[in-house]
Amino acid sequence: MSERLDVGILGATGTVGQELIVALATHPWFRVAWVGASERSVGKRYADATPWRLRTPRPDAVAEMVVEECVPVTAPRLVFSGLDSTVAGEVEAAFATAGHTVVSNARNYRMDADVPLLIPEINPDHLQLLEEQTRVRQWPGKLVANPNCSTIVMTLALAPLCQFGLTHVMVSTLQAVSGAGYPGVSSLDIVGNILPHIDGEESKMESETQKVLGAVTHGRVVPHEVVVSAQTTRVPVINGHTALISVKFETPPPPGDIIRAFRDFSGRPQAEQFPTAPCHPVCYLDDPNRPQPKLDVDREGGMAVTVGRLRECPVLDYKFIVLGHNTVRGAAGAAVLNAELMKVDGLVSI
């Protein structure tokens, strides 16, 4: 794939948009050629329209681009969407209707029956839903979505366990403030505090997990039967969602089998060496004081999740802790990995 494909970014000035720009800056298959944002940014140089919030420097080539209106006129055929859900539904549909391929981070279409909700290590076969999407919506383009950030972190840890007959999951999250965007949560609310409610987050984790782990039959996803009970909180951590998980199985395996399942887990992105894929998507650590956001959130460029503290649970069968980077593996990096899968499968082209 020597020729790089021009791509655009919807919502390029926001937190996820900035992470997408960093993820694509040196990508061997894709090149950012177009940036779109809200009316207040249109017509400005990207550098003038965007207060840069990331530690990685803003790429010079993108800094000089002029921000465009989020309409499918001059945009490339492949666009990544970091739009807020309040506007994403209408804008993304307009792009798909105009023949563009949209890789979305927004929640608007995730649970639609004909929209693949992708984690490429887990359910790459769900891309076959695009045939039904074309038939039903008659879009010349197409739309795929990645799950909610906390869902991705949790489900990457659950997928290796499905082989043991996973039946029930109880999860409580400790979610970073970067997940709320910028300016996000007021410092007076979050410093020295925990916020016990994140709007819509619990229901997303409960329903999206079943779709991702489900099987496609006759053009639709039959949801996995696992029952998920989620509680979500916001904590004073910059990056990294931590999930405290208890699981129940049809027949509980030995703990050594679970640890081996974590460490051996991989999928097509690893087998086919996608550029953004981590070598080990799930990393299990024996240290009882890990994972920690400060030490583990950037593992494999933020694309791997870290698991630790597997032990017996007196209520279900086992419990453990998983950590993942919410704006990388949980958002921008997830979208880029989805696009790489589509590229390999011939669903996007130059």
Side-chain angles (χ1 to χ4, degrees), residues 94-118:
F95 273 77
T97 301
H100 297 261
T101 295
V102 181
V103 182
S104 175
N105 185 70
R107 68 177 185 227
N108 302 69
Y109 295 101
R110 286 177 185 158
M111 295 306 295
D112 286 14
D114 59 350
V115 173
L117 187 62
L118 290 180

Side-chain angles (χ1 to χ4, degrees), residues 1 5 29-30 101 127 130 142 268 272 274 338-350:
M1 299 186 186
L5 176 67
W29 299 356
F30 306 128
T101 295
L127 281 176
L130 291 174
K142 54 185 74 75
R268 280 190 58 196
E272 300 177 32
F274 294 0
N338 287 349
E340 291 171 358
L341 173 64
M342 297 177 73
K343 174 74 171 172
V344 168
D345 283 356
L347 295 171
V348 295
S349 59
I350 295 173

Side-chain angles (χ1 to χ4, degrees), residues 54-85:
L54 305 184
R55 286 179 293 180
T56 305
R58 175 172 42 212
D60 292 339
V62 176
E64 297 303 318
M65 290 182 182
V66 176
V67 178
E68 305 286 346
E69 186 179 0
C70 288
V71 293
V73 178
T74 59
R77 307 308 290 176
L78 173 62
V79 294
F80 295 88
S81 175
L83 292 169
D84 186 87
S85 60

Side-chain angles (χ1 to χ4, degrees), residues 11-22:
T13 60
T15 302
V16 175
Q18 293 181 29
E19 289 282 12
L20 281 164
I21 284 170
V22 169

Side-chain angles (χ1 to χ4, degrees), residues 10-193:
L10 300 167
T13 60
T15 302
V16 175
Q18 293 181 29
E19 289 282 12
L20 281 164
I21 284 170
V22 169
L24 294 166
T26 58
H27 198 283
W29 299 356
F30 306 128
R31 174 179 54 238
V32 177
W34 183 94
V35 289
S38 63
E39 291 182 2
R40 65 177 177 272
S41 300
V42 171
K44 299 179 181 178
R45 291 172 61 249
Y46 183 79
D48 296 331
T50 311
W52 193 252
R53 306 293 179 188
L54 305 184
R55 286 179 293 180
T56 305
R58 175 172 42 212
D60 292 339
V62 176
E64 297 303 318
M65 290 182 182
V66 176
V67 178
E68 305 286 346
E69 186 179 0
C70 288
V71 293
V73 178
T74 59
R77 307 308 290 176
L78 173 62
V79 294
F80 295 88
S81 175
L83 292 169
D84 186 87
S85 60
T86 56
V87 297
E90 182 177 346
V91 173
E92 291 174 1
F95 273 77
T97 301
H100 297 261
T101 295
V102 181
V103 182
S104 175
N105 185 70
R107 68 177 185 227
N108 302 69
Y109 295 101
R110 286 177 185 158
M111 295 306 295
D112 286 14
D114 59 350
V115 173
L117 187 62
L118 290 180
I119 300 178
E121 287 93 345
I122 299 173
N123 63 344
D125 60 306
H126 285 203
L127 281 176
Q128 64 188 283
L129 294 176
L130 291 174
E131 297 176 8
E132 185 70 5
Q133 184 181 110
T134 299
R135 186 186 71 81
V136 172
R137 301 181 192 255
Q138 297 187 341
W139 283 342
K142 54 185 74 75
L143 186 148
V144 302
N146 49 271
N148 177 56
C149 49
S150 52
T151 302
I152 293 175
V153 172
M154 177 180 71
T155 308
L156 277 167
L158 295 181
L161 308 184
C162 287
Q163 62 184 294
F164 305 120
L166 183 67
T167 62
H168 292 80
V169 175
M170 295 187 68
V171 57
S172 296
T173 67
L174 311 172
Q175 297 185 209
V177 292
S178 58
Y182 189 90
V185 181
S186 166
S187 61
L188 291 176
D189 290 329
I190 197 63
V191 173
N193 197 23

